[in-house]
Amino acid sequence: MTNKTASTLQGRNFLTIAEFTEEELKSFLHTAVALKSMQKQGITHHFLEGQTLAMIFEKASTRTRVAFEVGMYQLGGSALYLSSKDIQIGRGETIADTAKVLSRFVDGIMIRTFGHEVVEELAANADVPVINGLTNTHHPTQVLADLLTIFEHKGSLAGLKACFVGDGYNNMAHSLLEGAAAVGMNMTVASPKGYEPDQAVFNAAKARGAENNCAVALTHSPQEAVEDCDVVITDTWLSMGDEDEKEQRLHDFQGFQVDDALTALAKPDHIFMHCLPAHRGEEVTESVIDGVHSVVFDEAENRLHAHKAILKCLMEKNA
């Protein structure tokens, strides 16, 4: 499982998808496939024996916490759950000081927080790899799991046509744009007016996509985005922190629900994805999320295998 590309990942941070080359992303994916096979066969794979991951949660989580905690256990290490109430960062200690202190105790830090600048400051001051478990603007660990899921179901990534329907100014939309552009997958985001992706993220993804012979596009028509798609993706219209905007958002997103009529426009063998948790009856109907095209639970399981790949590639000694 070691190769020249994997060795370049050792000791790195994992803050956004955009910071990695296509070859490096494929190295993560190949590692995830190998680790998943080992786990399914019951083969011990303690590549991180004796190592510890600090997990800082300022945002609640199901899949992120379980995937990283179980992942470290299966890799032979251990994980510490640290909420903002458990550590001094919640009582005014600077992010820089927290990074320097934790670096003396642990071998890696995963953080799930609000502002992306928090992750960047943590990484700038830590002496161990820092992994972005989610910020308001990026969700790279989820998108690596998504790429793994698409690869498993479609056999390739380059040249596929994918779309994201919903809130374009969303961490999933941003990281999907970056991931698709990096691996040569066409990606269209369909969002209501006023909910378009961050312009800098979109422009960078579009430029990288052009280099990799794939199209990155934006539309306000869900039908245009979904037509002839291999992969249809959505996410909640109400991210954490948006709850006070619920009524306005439910109004603004009318017509953007992923339902049977919309997915009928996709390819007959398309797959449907959602990072969960889902608000059934809002962004997606039950008939779609529970339908034959849905791979949402494969996608959820792949959080474990993708996260283990990140941990191994970044934290393994002498890889």
Side-chain angles (χ1 to χ4, degrees):
M1 289 176 59
T2 59
N3 56 55
K4 186 176 180 180
T5 301
S7 67
T8 69
L9 297 171
Q10 187 178 355
R12 296 262 299 271
N13 298 314
F14 194 95
L15 307 188
T16 68
I17 291 288
E19 67 199 63
F20 296 101
T21 66
E22 180 179 4
E23 186 178 1
E24 288 169 339
L25 288 173
K26 287 181 177 178
S27 184
F28 281 123
L29 293 174
H30 293 156
T31 301
V33 169
L35 291 172
K36 184 173 183 177
S37 177
M38 288 181 177
Q39 192 246 327
K40 297 298 184 184
Q41 296 178 66
I43 299 172
T44 300
H45 45 287
H46 289 173
F47 296 105
L48 301 184
E49 187 167 4
Q51 294 199 50
T52 304
L53 176 74
M55 306 188 304
I56 302 173
F57 284 88
E58 294 190 303
K59 276 191 173 185
S61 166
T62 299
R63 281 151 291 275
T64 301
R65 178 178 178 179
V66 174
F68 275 111
E69 195 160 334
V70 173
M72 278 300 292
Y73 173 78
Q74 292 183 357
L75 288 168
S78 60
L80 297 172
Y81 176 83
L82 304 170
S83 75
S84 56
K85 296 179 181 178
D86 297 324
I87 57 177
Q88 296 302 322
I89 198 171
R91 299 181 180 89
E93 183 172 59
T94 67
I95 297 166
D97 286 355
T98 298
K100 292 171 184 177
V101 169
L102 286 178
S103 295
R104 301 291 184 101
F105 292 107
V106 302
D107 304 282
I109 302 170
M110 188 284 299
I111 182 168
R112 183 178 169 95
T113 188
F114 294 88
H116 192 71
E117 67 278 0
V118 174
V119 176
E120 293 177 326
E121 186 174 353
L122 192 72
N125 289 278
D127 294 323
V128 296
V130 172
I131 300 167
N132 174 12
L134 173 143
T135 63
N136 288 344
T137 50
H138 295 278
H139 200 354
T141 58
Q142 172 68 61
V143 167
L144 189 68
D146 287 4
L147 294 176
L148 175 61
T149 306
I150 295 168
F151 178 77
E152 285 181 337
H153 283 271
K154 291 298 179 182
S156 64
L157 293 171
L160 292 177
K161 183 179 180 183
C163 68
F164 178 89
V165 178
D167 184 359
Y169 198 84
N170 166 286
N171 48 30
M172 280 301 298
H174 291 156
S175 290
L176 282 165
L177 283 166
E178 293 177 340
V183 299
M185 183 168 61
N186 302 292
M187 173 63 69
T188 300
V189 171
S191 67
K193 292 181 179 179
Y195 294 91
E196 296 88 354
D198 177 86
Q199 195 64 55
V201 172
F202 180 80
N203 288 345
K206 188 171 184 178
R208 189 171 188 182
E211 295 174 359
N212 287 341
N213 299 313
C214 64
V216 170
L218 174 65
T219 180
H220 298 299
S221 167
Q223 291 77 20
E224 179 183 340
V226 172
E227 186 174 4
D228 203 34
C229 260
D230 298 287
V231 186
V232 180
I233 310 168
T234 192
D235 190 12
T236 177
W237 298 336
L238 291 163
S239 297
M240 280 180 266
D242 296 332
E243 291 81 5
D244 58 341
E245 304 174 11
K246 181 174 182 178
E247 294 306 316
Q248 183 64 51
R249 282 175 171 263
L250 290 178
H251 174 269
D252 293 345
F253 282 88
Q254 289 301 306
F256 282 79
Q257 183 184 72
V258 178
D259 56 17
D260 292 318
L262 185 62
T263 56
L265 300 173
K267 288 182 180 177
D269 63 346
H270 76 275
I271 57 174
F272 169 76
M273 300 176 67
H274 190 307
C275 66
L276 302 177
H279 293 189
R280 292 163 178 258
E282 290 183 10
E283 73 272 8
V284 62
T285 60
E286 290 201 356
S287 59
V288 170
I289 197 169
D290 295 328
V292 296
H293 295 282
S294 177
V295 297
V296 298
F297 296 110
D298 290 346
E299 179 185 6
E301 179 194 339
N302 278 336
R303 291 288 296 277
L304 172 63
H305 310 298
H307 293 10
K308 284 167 65 178
I310 295 169
L311 293 167
K312 180 185 183 298
C313 289
L314 269 54
M315 293 171 58
E316 186 179 17
K317 308 302 182 184
N318 301 316

